């Protein structure tokens, strides 16, 4: 369904042109700080100069490889966002273009439901899950009533605002038409009918209801079911096996029943979002302040964790100044990583942030350029970083042993320019990072600095899985094509046979008629003779 006509960045079509403001976003938005990193690039905190309003900006590049596809992805997401008007969907504020990058401006949120799990490292309480689920469900019911499907519902795409609202976000995978049939979403959260959907297979908003059920389990158990499996096996498992259920039995029957309803394998047995809104689990009375309290608790924990990290960095800096970067420093850093709560027993790449959704087809390559570069930096530095050593692992322990350019990988706020850029000494880089931690005081968030950093690093690893996924998608397409070709061939053969039969019948009929005529004539002759 790709619009092949539109070249990347082309505004010839007035319908496309009117999707974008003409102003230069660099002049309108200041104080940019990276707060998240996804498949397309980075998301920033920023301030609108005109109103001083705080916003979030998702920068999506459409240069480099597959630029036309990336451009189409941007247009699709912008068109989708433009139509949204509901308290439980993210508020869109417009899109700007600059240097082959689209700046999608949205209302600023503190972080996602997945960040809550990340910070507290334990499941949420049932009442908290109920409020978050209720908010997401209202957003979904709104989408579904307008024939839209989100297709990537998961805790990472459910955001929370300062006043405690719940917002569906990330419409990069959404479909404007229900029913739809493409293979889109994030593996572990995918409904069976999406996995099984072939060309003729169609699905609707109920796929979001399934993903919401999986999200409930995610919030209750920290990870979606099958998360220890690789994504391909999980897909197979979801399609073939029985639906997952809540593991622990300390949850209420309402909650269990809600999850069970969402996770009905046959879509016809699964309630619609509209019907689910009446479920006791989301309708039950609960204190008004549930989310506000949760947010406050999370903010406090984030501040605590960041301070801890900051103190550790100061220590490293001190030691480096005395001894220079040594193996000891590496130990310190590992220690530091442990301090943010990562116990040894937890698998180090387990963060759900690292699972890419498969909807974003094109925009995976050059996005790291986008995110690591200070908007005001020149390109020479970007090039250096790209050539840099990409072996930096997600547990940031090796950073100190790498040359200074790579230190930028560990920089929680690459969007901020410091007076001095890192020189050849890693000590000054550490000093720079320390300064960044101090700067965090400026805005409200429920994401730790180390999480933001890790996400940037994990983005590199995402690409591998994404490749695997696109391979799988290609295979499915091929399979579908073969099936269709076979079907067509059989149909053609059948038509041919039919034609031959018709012809034969026709000639038989003619023969018969001729024979009849002969007989008739003969009889007539006989009669006449008599
Ligand atoms: P992706 O398609 O890569 O998942 P998202 O739109 O979900 O992209 O954005 C990636 C991350 O950026 C989110 O998980 C969230 O942490 C952060 N983010 C996105 N939009 C906002 C926003 N409006 N306010 C605050 N953070 C946001
Ligand atoms: Mg997302």
């Amino acid at each position: 369904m790709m619009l092949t006509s539109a070249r990347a960045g082309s505004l010839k079509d007035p319908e496309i042109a009117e999707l974008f403001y003409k102003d230069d976003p660099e002049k309108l938005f200041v104080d940019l700080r990276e707060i998240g990193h996804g498949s397309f690039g980075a998301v920033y905190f920023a301030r609108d100069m005109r109103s001083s309003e705080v916003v979030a900006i998702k920068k999506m590049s459409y240069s480099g490889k597959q630029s036309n596809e990336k451009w189409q992805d941007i247009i699709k997401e912008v068109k989708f966002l433009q139509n949204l008007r509901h308290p439980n969907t993210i508020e869109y504020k417009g899109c700007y273009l600059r240097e082959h990058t689209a700046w999608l401006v949205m209302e600023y949120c503190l972080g996602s439901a997945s960040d809550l799990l990340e910070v507290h490292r334990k499941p949420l309480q049932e009442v908290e899950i109920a409020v978050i689920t209720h908010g997401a469900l209202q957003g979904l019911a709104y989408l579904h009533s307008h024939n839209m499907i989100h297709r990537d519902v998961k805790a990472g795409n459910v955001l929370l605002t300062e006043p405690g609202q719940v917002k569906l976000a990330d419409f990069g995978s959404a479909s404007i038409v229900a029913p739809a049939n493409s293979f889109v979403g994030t593996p572990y959260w995918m409904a069976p009918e999406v996995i099984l959907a072939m060309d003729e297979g169609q699905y609707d908003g109920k796929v979001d209801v399934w993903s919401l059920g999986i999200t409930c389990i995610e919030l209750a158990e920290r990870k979606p079911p099958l998360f220890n499996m690789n994504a391909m096996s999980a897909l197979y498992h979801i399609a073939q096996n029985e639906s997952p259920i809540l593991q622990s039995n300390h949850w209420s029957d309402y909650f269990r029943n809600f999850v069970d309803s969402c996770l009905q394998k046959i879509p016809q047995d699964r309630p619609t979002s509209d019907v689910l809104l009446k479920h006791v689990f989301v309708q039950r009375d609960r204190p008004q302040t549930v989310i506000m309290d949760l947010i406050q608790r999370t903010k406090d924990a984030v501040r605590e964790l960041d301070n801890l990290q900051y103190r550790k960095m100061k220590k490293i800096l001190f030691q480096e100044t005395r001894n220079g970067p040594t193996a000891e420093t590496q130990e310190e850093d590992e220690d530091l990583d442990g301090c943010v709560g990562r116990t040894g027993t937890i698998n180090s790449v387990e963060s759900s942030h690292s699972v890419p959704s498969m909807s974003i087809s094109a925009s995976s390559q050059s996005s790291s350029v986008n995110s690591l570069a200070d908007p005001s930096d020149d390109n020479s530095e970007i090039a250096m970083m790209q050539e840099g050593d990409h072996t930096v692992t997600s547990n940031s322990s090796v950073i100190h042993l790498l040359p200074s350019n790579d230190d930028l990988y560990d920089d929680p706020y690459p969007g901020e320019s410091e007076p001095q850029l890192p020189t050849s000494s890693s000590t000054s880089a550490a000093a720079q990072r320390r300064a960044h931690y101090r700067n965090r005081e400026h805005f409200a968030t429920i994401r730790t600095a180390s999480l933001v950093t890790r996400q940037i690093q994990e983005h590199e690893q995402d690409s591998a899985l994404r490749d695997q996924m696109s391979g799988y998608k290609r295979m499915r397409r091929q399979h579908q094509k073969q099936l269709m070709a076979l079907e067509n061939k059989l149909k053609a053969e059948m038509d041919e046979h039919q034609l031959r039969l018709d012809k034969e019948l026709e000639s038989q009929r003619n023969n018969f008629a001729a024979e009849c005529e002969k007989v008739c004539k003969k009889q007539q002759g006989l009669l006449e003779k008599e």
Side-chain angles (χ1 to χ4, degrees):
M1 268 189 289
M2 199 63 64
L3 303 166
T4 40
S5 55
R7 288 253 320 277
S10 163
L11 297 176
K12 276 197 202 119
D13 182 347
E15 226 181 90
I16 301 292
E18 72 180 13
L19 297 174
F20 305 100
Y21 284 118
K22 304 292 169 290
D23 317 66
D24 178 358
E26 290 274 11
K27 296 205 173 81
L28 299 181
F29 301 99
V30 291
D31 272 358
L32 267 69
R33 283 145 218 238
E34 184 166 347
I35 49 171
H37 200 107
S39 37
F40 53 85
V43 177
Y44 297 83
F45 162 98
R47 204 180 293 281
D48 188 330
M49 283 267 274
R50 297 161 293 187
S51 56
S52 261
E53 183 189 27
V54 162
V55 295
I57 300 178
K58 183 168 171 173
K59 285 196 189 178
M60 301 171 82
S61 149
Y62 52 92
S63 60
K65 266 198 249 163
Q66 296 179 291
S67 58
N68 289 354
E69 283 84 350
K70 290 182 198 167
W71 178 244
Q72 290 309 327
D73 285 351
I74 292 167
I75 288 175
K76 221 182 92 195
E77 189 162 346
V78 167
K79 278 188 174 166
F80 206 96
L81 283 166
Q82 243 187 0
N83 288 323
L84 299 179
R85 260 164 214 86
H86 189 270
N88 295 105
T89 55
I90 198 91
E91 189 193 329
Y92 172 67
K93 294 177 187 288
C95 192
Y96 300 78
L97 299 177
R98 188 193 158 92
E99 291 168 352
H100 294 275
T101 303
W103 295 38
L104 266 79
V105 184
M106 305 166 271
E107 69 178 309
Y108 175 74
C109 297
L110 300 175
S112 70
S114 155
D115 296 329
L116 299 171
L117 300 170
E118 197 67 34
V119 170
H120 297 295
R121 299 198 168 264
K122 61 170 194 245
L124 301 186
Q125 290 160 26
E126 184 169 323
V127 64
E128 295 165 341
I129 300 176
V131 187
I132 293 170
T133 305
H134 193 195
L137 189 57
Q138 287 175 91
L140 287 179
Y142 162 77
L143 292 182
H144 298 167
S145 72
H146 288 78
N147 258 348
M148 301 186 268
I149 319 177
H150 186 286
R151 299 201 290 195
D152 201 11
V153 174
K154 53 181 177 181
N157 288 336
V158 177
L159 306 186
L160 302 174
T161 65
E162 182 87 60
Q165 300 150 295
V166 178
K167 305 264 176 177
L168 279 181
D170 191 356
F171 293 88
S173 319
S175 164
I176 314 187
V177 277
N181 62 16
S182 17
F183 181 59
V184 161
T186 311
Y188 307 94
W189 289 262
M190 262 188 196
E193 69 267 29
V194 178
I195 298 166
L196 295 170
M198 297 297 259
D199 231 14
E200 74 283 5
Q202 290 193 330
Y203 56 78
D204 57 18
K206 285 190 178 171
V207 303
D208 289 337
V209 171
W210 172 281
S211 305
L212 187 67
I214 299 292
T215 305
C216 282
I217 298 186
E218 181 188 9
L219 297 176
E221 296 170 7
R222 291 188 50 203
K223 299 290 162 210
L226 312 177
F227 202 68
N228 53 356
M229 239 180 230
N230 88 42
M232 294 298 136
S233 316
L235 282 177
Y236 181 82
H237 195 100
I238 295 165
Q240 295 301 320
N241 295 31
E242 271 177 30
S243 300
I245 52 166
L246 281 168
Q247 290 301 315
S248 156
N249 47 19
H250 85 277
W251 306 109
S252 74
D253 286 342
Y254 299 128
F255 187 18
R256 306 183 145 281
N257 179 274
F258 183 87
V259 171
D260 289 346
S261 310
C262 291
L263 299 182
Q264 286 300 312
K265 270 195 93 174
I266 302 168
Q268 286 78 20
D269 297 343
R270 204 181 304 150
T272 59
S273 46
D274 218 31
V275 167
L276 267 179
L277 272 175
K278 303 191 189 89
H279 199 284
V280 201
F281 174 61
V282 289
Q283 285 300 334
R284 246 191 315 176
D285 267 347
R286 53 191 179 232
Q288 286 271 296
T289 56
V290 170
I291 290 287
M292 298 292 283
D293 294 345
L294 175 61
I295 286 173
Q296 197 50 54
R297 226 166 9 101
T298 314
K299 276 187 184 170
D300 293 345
V302 165
R303 198 171 313 116
E304 199 64 14
L305 289 166
D306 281 351
N307 278 341
L308 212 64
Q309 183 110 337
Y310 171 68
R311 281 204 299 277
K312 281 280 170 190
M313 266 181 192
K314 225 162 77 177
K315 203 166 143 198
I316 293 164
L317 178 64
F318 179 68
Q319 278 184 346
E320 273 185 16
T321 321
R322 278 184 18 197
N323 314 329
T326 59
E328 263 171 76
T329 327
Q330 188 184 3
E331 260 168 48
E332 271 296 334
D333 231 358
E334 267 158 10
D335 182 20
L336 175 153
D337 205 45
C339 279
V340 263
R342 221 163 233 291
T343 63
T345 51
I346 299 163
N347 172 4
S348 75
V349 247
E350 36 115 62
S351 159
S352 56
H353 291 282
S354 68
V355 186
S357 58
M358 289 179 296
S359 43
I360 293 97
S361 53
S363 19
S364 61
Q365 288 81 10
S366 62
S367 44
S368 57
V369 174
N370 210 352
S371 66
L372 289 168
D374 182 316
S376 58
D377 277 348
D378 65 27
N379 290 331
S380 57
E381 209 188 304
I382 299 172
M384 279 200 309
M385 288 194 294
Q386 281 219 300
E387 280 161 22
D389 190 344
H390 280 230
T391 56
V392 182
T393 58
S394 79
N395 107 21
S396 52
S397 56
V398 290
I399 300 272
H400 278 272
L401 302 175
L402 291 170
S404 61
N405 285 327
D406 293 296
D407 275 324
L408 284 152
Y409 281 101
D410 196 29
D411 181 348
Y413 299 106
E416 290 172 344
S417 44
E418 282 289 312
Q420 313 131 329
L421 280 162
T423 61
S424 55
S425 115
S426 60
T427 305
S428 77
Q432 190 192 14
R433 285 206 306 277
R434 197 161 62 105
H436 286 320
Y437 272 86
R438 216 182 267 142
N439 278 335
R440 276 182 71 83
E441 296 303 312
H442 294 317
F443 68 99
T445 181
I446 54 169
R447 298 165 70 77
T448 59
S450 61
L451 171 65
V452 176
T453 312
R454 184 149 44 93
Q455 220 171 54
I456 295 170
Q457 291 158 5
E458 278 171 355
H459 174 66
E460 308 274 317
Q461 298 164 1
D462 281 0
S463 313
L465 181 58
R466 203 176 304 281
D467 285 350
Q468 206 184 351
M469 276 300 173
S470 60
Y472 181 62
K473 272 179 96 165
R474 224 180 4 254
M475 216 170 66
R476 281 173 55 105
R477 267 201 302 273
Q478 235 166 36
H479 184 73
Q480 254 166 269
K481 233 189 244 164
Q482 280 168 355
L483 267 180
M484 226 133 77
L486 190 68
E487 215 171 90
N488 283 340
K489 195 177 139 218
L490 287 176
K491 219 171 135 233
E493 266 174 29
M494 236 159 73
D495 286 350
E496 211 177 293
H497 281 303
Q498 188 70 47
L499 213 69
R500 212 181 305 148
L501 278 175
D502 284 351
K503 252 192 209 153
E504 207 157 301
L505 192 69
E506 185 67 26
S507 79
Q508 296 256 353
R509 224 185 253 142
N510 288 343
N511 284 347
F512 183 67
E515 209 63 46
C516 281
E517 215 177 280
K518 247 194 245 163
V519 173
C520 280
K521 272 190 184 145
K522 230 185 210 166
Q523 273 180 347
Q524 217 164 9
L526 281 175
L527 276 174
E528 271 165 17
K529 260 187 196 164
E530 277 177 30

